[in-house]
Amino acid sequence: MTFHNGSFSSIYLSIPGVMNPNLSPKSNSGVSLDAGQVVYFFPNGKKGKKEVLFVVSPNWKKDTILQVDEIIRFRIKSLGY
């Protein structure tokens, strides 16, 4: 799958057992994740507490493109940050 960062800011993620990617502004990053894998983000910046961003769905195909910046925007609102 592809993680897309359409924002003008870097996005810091944590994927246990896989990697801790830094998505550069306006970039794409290809990743291979198994269904059920948890992806975390840092709503208060890289040094803050991490929160669950999403869990990889078994319905997602290998060519799925995730708009990570938009998913983060939605999660921040739902978490009340």
Side-chain angles (χ1 to χ4, degrees):
M1 69 187 62
T2 299
F3 286 2
H4 175 74
N5 177 7
S7 74
F8 289 103
S9 301
S10 291
I11 296 175
Y12 303 99
L13 300 175
S14 175
I15 307 172
V18 179
M19 63 179 185
N20 294 328
N22 173 17
L23 300 178
S24 297
K26 299 291 183 181
S27 70
N28 292 315
S29 180
V31 293
S32 294
L33 301 175
D34 294 328
Q37 176 71 55
V38 180
V39 176
Y40 297 92
F41 76 113
F42 300 87
N44 291 318
K46 189 175 180 181
K47 305 245 188 245
K49 176 184 171 190
K50 68 182 178 182
E51 297 281 355
V52 173
L53 180 57
F54 61 83
V55 177
V56 176
S57 169
N59 298 327
W60 294 348
K61 308 273 189 253
K62 67 178 181 177
D63 58 348
T64 297
I65 298 173
L66 299 174
Q67 305 294 331
V68 176
D69 56 313
E70 293 176 13
I71 297 169
I72 287 174
R73 220 177 350 250
F74 175 78
R75 281 293 290 146
I76 285 175
K77 285 181 185 178
S78 71
L79 292 168
Y81 281 94

